[in-house]
């Protein structure tokens, strides 16, 4: 009889940073649908977040909590991880997903934007991982999935902070993978190409301004120019990779960058 490769996920506990929107929210839903108890995190309107939390719980039947840690604040990030342990008694899966973007030529790039992007897109993963690893080691099992980007492997102009942070996140992923490998823990990076989420929608106008072209030209000639499929990556396609990595089937996948980018980085 065929066995469900994701059956063992039921009852596990996950923290997904930056899960009030976009990829993080879709990943929280995918985990929740498999019976994983999820702690949501992210910024946004309190009523909208509570609606999303309660909706997810009602739709999936799995417990869903929310913690408002700001990824710029190390103590709050550590408390997010401890909150999962306090609420649910364990922590099996950490998805470091929170991320922001700013598009500007390097000579005009605001220093505070550089600092913010490095803090949210790179350093927050360090703080969350640092807090999570002792719990995972004690359990003898854990899965850390860092949502990097095709920009962890290749660059695009005007994204110096983002590209630097994502390249750094991949280096961090590999290092942690080596440190935790004998403890039943894996650490991997998922590297999406362009996915239509608010972070991308906001970039369309910025890119049009920086490059002096129309928004339609940005989508066609800049964003999807690099993506050989000429299609945005979908949430379901990313969730497939996530579920593989966090399942028992993913036990030997460690320290790797998994590109889900329609062939972008093959060029
Ligand atoms: P999004 O803007 O929809 O979601 C970002 C999430 O991060 C939100 O929940 C937001 O509240 C949260 N966040 C931002 N700053 C925060 C802070 N200081 N503290 C706590 N939470 C904070 O973006 P998305 O497209 O879903 O991006 C998610 C991740 O995927 C990011 O790391 C991004 O770099 C990466 N990514 C996105 C794409 C894409 O095309 N959308 C491609 C490759 C990689």
């Amino acid at each position: 009889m065929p066995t469900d490769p994701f059956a063992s996920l039921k009852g596990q506990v996950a923290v997904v940073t930056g899960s009030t929107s976009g990829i993080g929210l879709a990943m929280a839903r995918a985990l929740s649908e498999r019976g994983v108890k999820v702690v949501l995190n992210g910024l946004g309107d309190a009523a909208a977040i509570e609606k999303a939390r309660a909706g997810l719980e009602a739709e999936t039947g799995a417990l869903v909590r929310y913690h408002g840690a700001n990824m710029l604040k190390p103590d709050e990030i550590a408390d997010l991880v401890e909150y999962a342990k306090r609420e649910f008694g364990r922590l099996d899966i950490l998805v470091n997903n929170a991320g922001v973007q700013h598009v500007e030529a390097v000579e005009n790039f605001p220093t505070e934007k550089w600092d913010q992007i490095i803090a949210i897109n790179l350093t927050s993963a360090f703080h969350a991982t640092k807090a999570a690893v002792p719990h995972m080691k004690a359990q003898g099992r854990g899965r850390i999935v860092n949502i990097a980007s095709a920009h962890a492997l290749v660059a695009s102009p005007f994204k110096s902070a983002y590209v630097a942070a994502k390249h750094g996140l991949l280096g961090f992923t590999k290092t942690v993978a080596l440190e935790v490998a004998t403890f039943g823990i894996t650490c991997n990076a998922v590297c999406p190409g362009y996915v239509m989420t608010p972070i991308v929608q906001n970039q369309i106008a910025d890119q049009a301004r920086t490059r002096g072209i129309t928004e339609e030209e940005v989508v066609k000639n800049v964003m999807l120019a690099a993506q050989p499929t000429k299609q945005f990556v979908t949430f379901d396609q990313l969730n497939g990779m996530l579920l593989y990595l966090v399942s028992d089937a993913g036990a030997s996948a460690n320290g790797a960058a998994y590109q889900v980018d329609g062939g972008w980085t093959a060029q």
Side-chain angles (χ1 to χ4, degrees):
M1 204 161 99
T3 52
D4 175 0
F6 307 125
S8 63
L9 292 177
K10 195 171 165 57
Q12 292 194 17
V13 175
V15 168
V16 184
T17 71
S19 49
T20 52
S21 165
I23 294 168
L25 182 55
M27 288 188 162
R29 174 169 286 111
L31 292 169
S32 190
E33 282 169 350
R34 266 111 196 138
V36 176
K37 298 169 195 166
V38 176
V39 180
L40 296 174
N41 159 261
L43 309 178
D45 171 65
I49 292 171
E50 173 52 21
K51 197 171 162 213
R53 187 207 64 77
L56 215 51
E57 212 168 48
E59 273 170 48
T60 65
L63 294 173
V64 182
R65 298 283 184 269
Y66 167 75
H67 186 289
N70 187 330
M71 293 297 115
L72 291 165
K73 302 198 171 156
D75 292 351
E76 294 186 14
I77 300 167
D79 191 60
L80 164 65
V81 170
E82 297 311 323
Y83 175 76
K85 179 82 179 160
R86 284 200 300 275
E87 281 292 298
F88 296 133
R90 53 187 297 119
L91 176 64
D92 303 281
I93 299 164
L94 170 64
V95 183
N96 288 309
N97 167 76
V100 291
Q101 175 64 285
H102 184 78
V103 180
E104 193 93 60
V106 68
E107 66 271 33
N108 299 325
F109 210 93
T111 301
E112 64 276 13
K113 283 281 180 200
W114 170 278
D115 290 342
Q116 192 188 46
I117 290 172
I118 299 296
I120 296 171
N121 296 18
L122 173 60
T123 311
S124 77
F126 158 70
H127 292 300
T129 303
K130 182 178 174 178
V133 162
H135 298 305
M136 292 178 173
K137 278 189 175 175
Q139 287 166 197
R141 190 188 187 286
R143 294 284 188 270
I144 301 165
V145 180
N146 296 324
I147 307 306
S149 167
H151 282 129
L153 298 155
V154 295
S156 296
F158 312 120
K159 296 186 176 179
S160 53
Y162 187 87
V163 171
K166 295 296 187 180
H167 274 64
L169 185 58
L170 187 50
F172 178 67
T173 302
K174 293 179 190 175
T175 308
V176 173
L178 297 179
E179 293 182 23
V180 299
T182 56
F183 295 90
I185 307 170
T186 67
C187 181
N188 289 287
V190 174
C191 299
Y194 276 106
V195 190
M196 189 49 92
T197 67
I199 207 175
V200 168
Q201 270 155 358
N202 296 339
Q203 275 180 68
I204 296 174
D206 282 355
Q207 288 256 17
R209 181 175 47 78
T210 313
R211 292 172 184 266
I213 56 177
T214 67
E215 296 193 5
E216 292 70 30
E217 285 169 328
V218 169
V219 171
K220 195 163 151 265
N221 300 334
V222 178
M223 293 184 167
L224 297 183
Q227 213 146 283
T229 49
K230 302 296 173 201
Q231 305 278 333
F232 283 102
V233 176
T234 68
F235 293 148
D236 283 349
Q237 291 160 2
L238 290 173
N239 289 340
M241 182 58 77
L242 173 77
L243 291 173
Y244 162 68
L245 290 173
V246 301
S247 73
D248 291 344
S252 289
N254 194 29
Y258 289 92
Q259 292 117 293
V260 187
D261 65 5
W264 174 350
T265 52
Q267 297 165 95

